[in-house]
Amino acid sequence: DTAVSQTPKYLVTQMGNDKSIKCEQNLGHDTMYWYKQDSKKFLKIMFSYNNKELIINETVPNRFSPKSPDKAHLNLHINSLELGDSAVYFCASGLAGGPSSDTQYFGPGTRLTVL
Amino acid sequence: DAKTTQPTSMDCAEGRAANLPCNHSTISGNEYVYWYRQIHSQGPQYIIHGLKNNETNEMASLIITEDRKSSTLILPHATLRDTAVYYCIVRVRGGADGLTFGKGTHLIIQP
């Protein structure tokens, strides 16, 4: 009965590779997000998607691209991985504009290690 | 979004009430106060939010001062599982943008 799920949980890869992280939510939410938590534990928003439209794109390299095949999924594609991309990536979902808006539900995270 | 200030860390004895303060002196009239927490190796978890009235749910209580420049999150009977980093976030409600997390307070519940 997982609300927000991510796969894989761990991802170890070499520099220069291209990888994807998948996220799915079964809460019926209309907005999904990707956050990055670096080694210093700072948690920062990367992207948010509302009804298949990109709402926010923070100062994230264009090697990162979110892709949403439908409202329940927001996958994160990363090209040409660099050492600095090593972090924990969290997916989240929420209802923007509704009575319970801003209550975001987070997935368990994907720990990406770039060697 | 208004800036928040929280203590870096706090200790609390198991079974006692944990009171976590947050200063948000630049909060504007339409901004809400939200609290999230992150238990080690897990994703952040929503706790509670409020505008100006005190709020209570099954997890915690939120006390907001009358001038709204500060607030306190209260965990009434802290358990070891409440050890986590607690984030106070101030934002306008209803936006589709992401949450802005600060450094939070690392709450350690002592047995």
Side-chain angles (χ1 to χ4, degrees), chain B residues 9 39 54 60 84 88:
Chain B
S9 65
I39 296 170
N54 298 337
C88 170

Side-chain angles (χ1 to χ4, degrees), chain B residues 30-44:
Chain B
N30 61 346
E31 287 182 314
Y32 285 68
V33 180
Y34 290 82
W35 283 84
Y36 280 75
R37 73 179 182 183
Q38 186 175 24
I39 296 170
H40 181 62
S41 296
Q42 296 183 21

Side-chain angles (χ1 to χ4, degrees), chain A residues 13-114:
Chain A
T13 188
Q14 299 286 333
M15 277 176 56
N17 284 349
D18 302 336
K19 290 293 178 186
S20 295
I21 305 172
K22 295 185 177 180
C23 177
E24 177 180 2
Q25 55 95 3
N26 62 5
L27 298 167
H29 289 161
D30 61 2
T31 306
M32 295 183 71
Y33 310 83
W34 276 104
Y35 290 82
K36 177 182 180 181
Q37 187 165 41
D38 61 23
S39 57
K40 295 184 179 178
K41 304 296 185 184
F42 292 126
L43 198 58
K44 292 184 179 179
I45 180 69
M46 298 177 71
F47 304 105
S48 70
Y49 248 79
N50 185 315
N51 293 325
K52 297 192 179 183
E53 182 181 356
L54 180 65
I55 300 294
I56 286 181
N57 184 343
E58 297 291 318
T59 53
V60 171
N62 57 15
R63 297 181 295 103
F64 291 78
S65 57
K67 288 191 171 43
S68 180
D70 54 58
K71 240 170 60 164
H73 296 83
L74 183 65
N75 303 324
L76 182 65
H77 296 270
I78 316 169
N79 295 326
S80 303
L81 277 156
E82 300 178 358
L83 293 176
D85 298 332
S86 295
V88 180
Y89 292 85
F90 289 100
C91 176
S93 73
L95 276 172
S100 58
S101 61
D102 302 316
T103 301
Q104 294 185 15
Y105 295 81
F106 285 77
T110 295
R111 181 173 293 277
L112 171 65
T113 303
V114 182

